Amino acid sequence: MTSGGTSEQPVAGTPATHGNRVGGGLLDPKQLIRSLPDALRKLDPRTLWRNPVMFIVEIGAVFTTVLAVADPSVFAWAITVWLWLTVVFANLAEAVAEGRGKAQAAALRKAKTDTVATRLVGWTPGMAPNAYRTEDVPAPQLKLGDVVVVEAGQIIPGDGDVVEGIASVDESAITGESAPVIRESGGDRSAVTGGTKVLSDRIIVKITQKPGESFIDRMIALVEGANRQKTPNEIALNILLAALTIIFLLAVVTLQPLAIFSKGYQAAAPDTGAITDAGVTGVVLVSLLVCLIPTTIGALLSAIGIAGMDRLVQRNVLAMSGRAVEAAGDVNTLLLDKTGTITLGNRQASEFLPVEGVTASEVADAAQLSSLADETPEGRSIVVLAKNEFGLREREPGLIPHATFVPFSAQTRMSGVDLTPEDAGPAQRIRKGAAAAVMKWVREHGGHPTEQVGQMVDEISGIGGTPLVVAEHIEGQVARTLGVIHLKDIVKTGMKERFDEMRRMGIRTVMITGDNPRTARAIADEAGVDDFLAEATPEDKLALIKKEQEGGRLVAMTGDGTNDAPALAQADVGVAMNTGTSAAKEAGNMVDLDSDPTKLIEIVEIGKQLLITRGALTTFSIANDIAKYFAIIPAMFAGIYPSLDALNIMRLHSPESAILSAVIFNALIIIALIPLALRGVRYRPASASKLLSRNLWLYGLGGIVVPFIGIKLIDLLIQFIPGIS
Ligand SMILES: Nc1ncnc2c1ncn2[C@@H]1O[C@H](COP(=O)(O)OP(=O)(O)OP(=O)(O)O)[C@@H](O)[C@H]1O
Ligand SMILES: [K+]
Ligand SMILES: [Mg+2]
């Protein structure tokens, strides 16, 4: 059932005009307060142990609480309070990061209204509307493989693929984009999402979701961070942080005999709040430990990961795994398919070119006949052009007796029809498709494609068009080519600039297409990709990805078709277009709701930003801890070894105030860095080594200088607290 291909099809790639939830540089204090209950809940050791650094701080806080109760002092209680605050601040970072997805989850839940579906019983493709029965079932009861009909004004009851018809659909419930999109059977724009609304026409949809596993369900879980798992990189960093924690634990423990020995050796030295004849007090030991272990990055690590995912959601990209986001940051090669990705994708027939001895009308007639059951946009456009230019009637496929339609496949790269006339005349077979495929078919049936066909094919290819050769084989004769159909497709605007940007980021772009090498070259040149692969079958795409992945290189791929699915699954970053087929969406590890293939540039940027932010804050955290070491130790021991006084460059008020200041600074720096962790370090295209050295300087040096200033300022303030010596 062809509904005509003349409908205006919106251009994929219009960026979503989502509400700006990013916020400015500063953290809204209200956000902190709102997330406080969640942060307190996260104090539960059963959840906190997953974060080894903060878990140690919590154990330390429990320990100093016991000590402060047993032997109360202003100092002991002040330290205890600030240790607990350290853990709460860390939890707060994570809770705030998670909280940002909550509003969106609530909006998505609203889209999950329970509709009633009209299920078709005994339906087969091409069946007339009165040949099957319908029944009403509640949407949640739909099973995988059920077929439903959805008409204008109705909500689509579940995720699926359009198997018949074409409709405009309002997907704003999931994309936030109010412009309607076209969903149609046959092509690469067949997937529909439950909860979206059909605005016009009528479509038959085959349900592809299992009950309770809808796209919206998964989206909700995703934006809420419900099933977020640590990525391998995060786990590795956590192990490193845990190892550092153990090293510092040992360092602090060995400090004790040193302190006892020193105190005995320098018998004349007075007791201080930090060191007595019994050695360093428990409270001070814990404080030292907490200051030295990498609490800053330990507190912010998880928030950085969640924020990275969230930044993608804000760009209308759903990443199914954190690992994919990280991989995006390290991508070396980007593979894009041609039709619908680099070009607009509504390849339309524009001309029927006959070979000598054949009329254009004859080519049109054969082309139309062979396309009657062709549900691809190309096939439909051929039927429409033949009708408009030659007045050929649209023929219902069911009305032609003894016709067997041969559907298009990416492997054969042709489609057509086999006709057996009723009057027992010779059988006729018509094929149309990629030049190489059809010419091979002609030769296999005794024919010889003329040179003229080759010239026409080259001419169309040379200007970036897709030539479809039309051929016929009548029983008892040799096959012959009738002519060529010119399919026109347009390269999307702004592609060259985007690919230039990719090149600056160090990413190689490769276009892959099932089209012939000439067309491929013309489009590749116009779009400005680095390389291309033509006449690619799905297997070729997969093989290319595997080859690119050799030696540990990471490959990203965008695609929308079922024939892209194997490649999407193999790619390290597989971005499926939301408009694509369900198979493509299942295979990839990201879905772009805007169906904009150049979105990969932003995805790569966000991935890089995530990696850079994590690296920068790790550098800052470790530099920070080293600085604290030099702030506290001289202050502690200066009373015992007056000669150490030369090292005591910070001139802190007393050992006690030095330690308390360091603990307070250690806690406050977490809060101060939450906005940076959530927003991410700024990223501009540059080589990886340049970025690395720049960040080492900035965050390494900053990490050393900032605590000196911060601790000094806090020390100046707290010396006035009564009870602090
Ligand atoms: N409906 C059709 N009937 C016959 N031949 C077709 C049809 N659609 C496309 N073709 C031919 O088959 C070739 C391969 O199609 P395929 O969909 O695999 O790749 P493509 O659309 O050209 O490129 P891409 O991989 O970028 O989508 C096309 O280049 C075209 O020559
Ligand atoms: K620390
Ligand atoms: Mg295609």
Side-chain angles (χ1 to χ4, degrees), residues 229-272:
Q229 269 161 353
K230 277 194 191 134
T231 68
N233 278 342
E234 267 180 289
I235 292 170
L237 187 54
N238 251 315
I239 291 172
L240 176 78
L241 296 182
L244 276 175
T245 305
I246 291 169
I247 291 171
F248 281 121
L249 189 66
L250 292 176
V252 169
V253 170
T254 49
L255 207 64
Q256 185 66 310
L258 181 75
I260 296 174
F261 170 79
S262 308
K263 192 72 183 23
Y265 185 73
Q266 304 276 17
D271 279 4
T272 67

Side-chain angles (χ1 to χ4, degrees), residues 188 336-341 343 347 371 374-380 382 407-416 432-435 466-468 487 511-516 536-538 541 560 563-564:
D188 289 347
L336 309 105
D337 75 340
K338 172 179 75 83
T339 312
T341 299
T343 65
R347 263 192 305 209
S371 302
D374 188 349
E375 282 281 2
T376 65
E378 290 86 349
R380 269 202 300 267
I382 290 169
F408 169 72
S409 88
Q411 258 92 9
T412 61
R413 285 190 273 141
M414 348 183 249
S415 57
K432 68 165 204 288
T466 296
L468 290 190
L487 295 179
M511 180 184 92
I512 34 177
T513 175
D515 228 326
N516 72 76
T537 61
K541 295 186 186 184
D560 56 359
N563 60 346
D564 296 324

Side-chain angles (χ1 to χ4, degrees), residues 53 288-296 621 624-625 628 666 669:
V53 178
L288 248 183
L289 177 65
V290 170
C291 287
L292 296 185
I293 63 178
T295 46
T296 317
S621 180
N624 228 300
D625 295 338
K628 269 172 253 168
N666 193 53
I669 196 75

Side-chain angles (χ1 to χ4, degrees), residues 155-156 167-181 193 195-200:
I155 302 281
I156 297 172
S168 62
V169 178
D170 173 7
E171 294 200 333
S172 59
I174 56 164
T175 61
E177 172 62 60
S178 54
V181 292
T193 309
T196 60
K197 189 175 173 183
V198 171
L199 293 177
S200 71

